[in-house]
Structure formats: C-alpha cells, structure tokens
Amino acid sequence: MKKKMLLLNTTVLLGLGGVLSTPAYASTIQDMESQKSQIQNQRQDVQSNIKAASDELTRLQAEQDQMKAQLERLTLAEEENNKKAQKTEADIKETSKQVDQLEKEIKLLQEKLEKRNDILKDRARSMQESGGNVEYLQVLLGSSSFGDFVDRALAVSTIVDADRGILKETKNMQDELKTKQADVKSKLASLEDMKAELDEMTVQLAAQKKQKDALAKELKDKEAKNEELKASLQSKDSSLANEQSTLEQNIKDQKAAEEAARKAAEQAAKEAAKKAAEQAQKAAAEQAQKADSPSPKAAPKASSNDVAPTSAPAPKASNVVTVGNRWIGNSAYVFGGGRSQSDINHGLFDCSSFVHWAYSQVGVNLGPLGSVSTETLKHAGTQVSSSQMQPGDLVFFDTYKKDGHVGIYVGGGKFIGAQSSTGVAIANMSSGYWKQKFNGRVVRI
C-alpha cells in the first residue's frame, strides 16, 4: 500500500513538472529575449550617435556665438571708421577753403605793398630833388631790399610824420603778410597729414569690409550646417522614439504573456496538487509541501565614495606682454577708438589706446587716456637701442606718417598691438611688411 502511494505521488509531481515546462512557452521567451537584446543594441547605437551629434551641435553653437560677436565688433568698427573718414574729408575741405582764402589775402597784400613801394620811391625822389637830407637819402637808398628799405626808413629819426605813417602801415602789412604765409604753410602741412591719414583709413576700411563679408559668409555656411545637423538629430531622435516604443510594447507584451503563463501554471499546479492530496496519504502531501525554495537573501547595499571635485586656479595675467592676449580674435580696429569704457568693453582700439590699456592692466599709467597717441607714447619712457630690445618695450613703425604705429614687443621678433586689418593680434616684425616699416625707435617704460 505504501509503495502504491509513493508511485502515485511521483506521478503527480511528474505531471506538475510537465505543466511548468511547456516547450511552446520556453520558445516564446527565448525569441522575445533575443528581440529585446537586439533592440537594446540598436538603441545604444542610436543614443551614441545622438550624443555625438549633440556634442557637435554644442561646439558649433559656441563657434557661432563667437563669430557673431566678432561680426558685431567689425560692424561697429566699420561705422566708427566711416564717421572718422567723413569727418577727415570735411576737415580737408574746410582747410582747403582756408588755404584758398589766405592765398587770396596774400595776393592782395602783395599788390598793396607794391603800390606802397612805388609811393615811397616817389617820395624819396621828391625829397632828393627838393634838397632833402643827404644822409637820410643815403641810408634809404643804400638798402638791399624793400624790407630793408622799410626797416631803415623807420630807424631814421628825421622822417616827417606823414612819411612815418605810411612806413608804419607798410611795415604792418609786411608783418601780416609773413604771418599769413606761415599760417598757409602750417595748414598745408596739416592738410597733407590729414590726406595721408584718410588714404590709410580708406585702405583699412576696404580690408575690414572684406574681412566682415568673409566672416558673414562663413557664419551663414555654419548656420546652414547647424540646421542640417539639427534635422539629422531630430530624425535620429524620432527613430529612437519608435524603437523605444516598440521595445516598451514588446516588454509589456512579454510581461503579460509571462503573467498569463504563470497564472495558468499555478492553476494547473493547484488542481494537480488537489487531486494528489485526495489520493495520497497526509504524510506524503506534507512532504511535498516542504519543497519550497528558500527566500533569496537581500542583496548587499552598494556603497559609493563621494570625492569632492577640485578646480584649478583661474589663470591670471601677469605682465604687459600677455595681458592683451584676451583680445586676440575678439577685437576690431577703430581710428581714435579705445578712449571710452564702452569702446574698451566692445574691444574697439587703435594702436596707442591698446598700449595704454595694456599697461594700465599691470598698474602703469601712461597719461590721460583721452589724449594718448603715438606722439605722447614715444616720450613716455626711455629710448633704448633696438639691439637691446626686451619684451614689454614699445616699438614704433613709420606707416602713413613717421611713428604712425606702435605696439608692445613680446620677444622672438614679434609684437602685439591693435593692427588696423585684424584688430589686436601678434605680428612678425623681423620679416615682411612690419620689418620694412619698423623705424628703430624703441621706448622702455
């Protein structure tokens, strides 16, 4: 009887095991696990591509922002330089008018002096014919020039009052003529300087416009590339969303199938166990119930060590040679610029204002900012031989005029300065254009 009970119990357990290991169910799980693994691999690839695209997008955006800022500086510089050029042209016209007027006045004075000369000669002849003072006539007629004649005549104390008045008027006219001639000479020299500066500005304005147009085109191309990258990224993201949706649906279906299979298996097991309990002895049923799997041990809690991040100290400008590097690629040249805080904030300098700014950053005052020029800077320190040149010395160049450009020597045959074609930049003065323009003047501050 006992053997029969054991045989029946074994049959029931075998039947239960058959219910829990249906071949069709196992095949479905394997297929779905394989599908899940494939989708996860695809998702990882797509996410990797999206991350790479996002990184490139971020880099391009930063580059675009920098290019836009430089384009704004160049636009502002172009506007300021155009204003300066227009003002210089107006000054040239006004000075030319003044020169023309002075030349007309000089011509009138010369005509008046010629008439005065004739009057004085007639009076001298009349005096001689009427028996005038011989010594007086000899003094006058022995003059070497008309100017000498007037000076001698004024020095003679025997001239009658009427003659003295004519001579004094003539002398005043002569002095006025000399003054106007000197004024014309000065204005003509100023006019030449203004014309030279205007020519220089015209050349540099053309260069700045060319640079601005090239930068605008490059920016437009990069913006198009950026938009293309965005479209590609959105397409990939849409594909990823579809893959994710499919994966989630598959997992949902898989869980539903597993749950349905589990419930069916449990139901079948319960029914089989119920039949076995009715047919088997109580001891055998109790023994079958003891075949429970042990409870899984709680997984150990993961531990982590938090390490406080450290940051490197921020770089700090240490001397005048390197302090201006921050403006390289972030500045523009403006004639007369850099003499207000607004200009400095926007990186708008000319050569002398940049040198003034750079030295101010290391605590050296090179005089009032509003009046700084290459002329004031060449007298700001001590002149040294170009063979003794050291980093930090001021170097001067003859461009549109003598000492028309200044920069700061950085060593290795190079200098940093606000260059009219590029803004603040490091240039080579040991060859090419700047070597030809370097005039040997070196000032140590």
Side-chain angles (χ1 to χ4, degrees):
M1 182 67 178
K2 189 174 183 180
K3 287 182 180 182
K4 289 182 179 180
M5 287 293 184
L6 289 173
L7 181 60
L8 180 59
N9 188 40
T10 300
T11 302
V12 171
L13 290 174
L14 288 174
L16 181 61
V19 172
L20 293 175
S21 59
T22 305
Y25 177 70
S27 176
T28 301
I29 291 295
Q30 290 175 357
D31 290 344
M32 294 191 69
E33 287 293 343
S34 176
Q35 182 183 6
K36 178 181 177 180
S37 177
Q38 291 176 2
I39 293 176
Q40 285 177 331
N41 290 337
Q42 292 175 1
R43 183 184 180 189
Q44 289 176 354
D45 291 341
V46 172
Q47 287 179 335
S48 177
N49 291 334
I50 288 179
K51 184 180 184 305
S54 297
D55 292 342
E56 178 65 10
L57 188 62
T58 301
R59 187 191 68 78
L60 276 176
Q61 188 62 52
E63 188 175 349
Q64 280 182 286
D65 292 342
Q66 185 176 3
M67 289 176 67
K68 285 180 179 178
Q70 181 64 2
L71 189 57
E72 289 175 359
R73 275 188 290 270
L74 287 174
T75 301
L76 184 58
E78 186 178 25
E79 292 174 355
E80 293 299 322
N81 286 332
N82 275 323
K83 290 179 183 177
K84 176 68 174 177
Q86 291 170 3
K87 183 179 183 302
T88 302
E89 287 179 347
D91 291 343
I92 288 174
K93 290 180 180 179
E94 180 61 28
T95 304
S96 297
K97 289 181 181 178
Q98 293 175 7
V99 169
D100 291 342
Q101 182 61 32
L102 283 173
E103 288 177 343
K104 290 179 181 178
E105 293 174 2
I106 288 172
K107 185 177 179 180
L108 289 174
L109 279 174
Q110 287 174 336
E111 291 174 355
K112 287 181 179 180
L113 282 172
E114 288 177 1
K115 292 179 180 179
R116 292 275 177 166
N117 187 18
D118 293 338
I119 292 172
L120 288 172
K121 284 181 179 179
D122 290 341
R123 292 186 67 79
R125 290 193 190 96
S126 175
M127 182 176 289
Q128 184 179 18
E129 292 172 356
S130 62
N133 188 307
V134 176
E135 292 183 358
Y136 169 66
L137 293 174
Q138 286 178 343
V139 169
L140 293 179
L141 297 177
S143 59
S144 60
S145 66
F146 180 65
D148 186 26
F149 174 84
V150 174
D151 291 337
R152 289 187 181 211
L154 286 173
V156 177
S157 61
T158 59
I159 300 177
V160 295
D161 292 340
D163 290 343
R164 184 178 295 277
I166 294 174
L167 290 170
K168 282 186 177 180
E169 289 178 5
T170 304
K171 177 63 175 177
N172 291 337
M173 291 171 67
Q174 276 188 313
D175 292 342
E176 184 180 359
L177 177 61
K178 290 179 181 179
T179 299
K180 288 183 181 295
Q181 287 174 332
D183 196 11
V184 166
K185 186 177 180 180
S186 174
K187 288 186 180 298
L188 284 174
S190 174
L191 192 60
E192 290 178 358
D193 286 345
M194 284 191 288
K195 286 181 177 179
E197 185 177 7
L198 180 60
D199 290 342
E200 178 75 7
M201 282 191 285
T202 302
V203 172
Q204 298 309 329
L205 278 171
Q208 281 186 334
K209 186 177 186 306
K210 183 177 180 181
Q211 182 185 7
K212 176 186 170 183
D213 292 344
L215 192 60
K217 182 180 183 304
E218 185 180 356
L219 180 59
K220 185 176 181 180
D221 292 343
K222 286 185 179 294
E223 286 178 342
K225 184 178 180 181
N226 195 359
E227 291 301 323
E228 183 180 351
L229 184 60
K230 284 182 180 178
S232 175
L233 181 59
Q234 290 170 351
S235 176
K236 289 180 181 179
D237 186 55
S238 177
S239 176
L240 176 62
N242 291 335
E243 293 288 341
Q244 180 73 24
S245 176
T246 301
L247 176 61
E248 290 175 350
Q249 186 60 45
N250 288 343
I251 291 174
K252 182 179 179 180
D253 293 344
Q254 178 184 349
K255 288 183 177 179
E258 288 179 350
E259 183 65 16
R262 185 184 66 79
K263 289 182 177 180
E266 286 182 353
Q267 185 63 31
K270 286 180 180 180
E271 292 176 357
K274 184 176 180 181
K275 290 181 180 180
E278 292 174 351
Q279 298 174 4
Q281 292 182 351
K282 185 176 180 180
E286 291 177 354
Q287 186 175 0
Q289 291 176 354
K290 291 179 181 179
D292 293 332
S293 59
S295 301
K297 295 182 179 179
K301 294 182 178 180
S303 63
S304 62
N305 295 323
D306 295 331
V307 180
T310 59
S311 59
K316 185 177 182 181
S318 59
N319 55 57
V320 73
V321 174
T322 58
V323 73
N325 290 351
R326 59 172 288 194
W327 293 115
I328 296 176
N330 298 304
S331 59
Y333 185 93
V334 172
F335 287 92
R339 287 164 178 78
S340 67
Q341 193 57 48
S342 175
D343 279 359
I344 294 173
N345 291 342
H346 288 89
L348 305 179
F349 297 97
D350 64 10
C351 61
S352 53
S353 65
F354 170 75
V355 169
H356 188 284
W357 174 86
Y359 268 93
S360 71
Q361 300 306 295
V362 294
V364 178
N365 186 355
L366 295 181
L369 176 59
S371 59
V372 66
S373 66
T374 54
E375 190 67 22
T376 63
L377 290 176
K378 75 180 185 182
H379 300 296
T382 304
Q383 291 197 30
V384 298
S385 170
S386 59
S387 62
Q388 304 297 319
M389 195 159 44
Q390 296 178 2
D393 290 344
L394 303 187
V395 287
F396 291 80
F397 305 84
D398 292 344
T399 51
Y400 71 95
K401 67 176 182 178
K402 186 171 180 60
D403 298 318
H405 189 68
V406 64
I408 302 171
Y409 186 64
V410 299
K414 297 180 180 180
F415 75 100
I416 186 171
Q419 325 299 8
S420 55
S421 58
T422 60
V424 176
I426 294 176
N428 189 350
M429 58 182 288
S430 59
S431 64
Y433 175 82
W434 291 113
K435 181 180 180 180
Q436 296 174 2
K437 297 298 182 180
F438 178 52
N439 61 18
R441 186 187 299 279
V442 180
V443 174
R444 185 161 298 160
I445 303 300

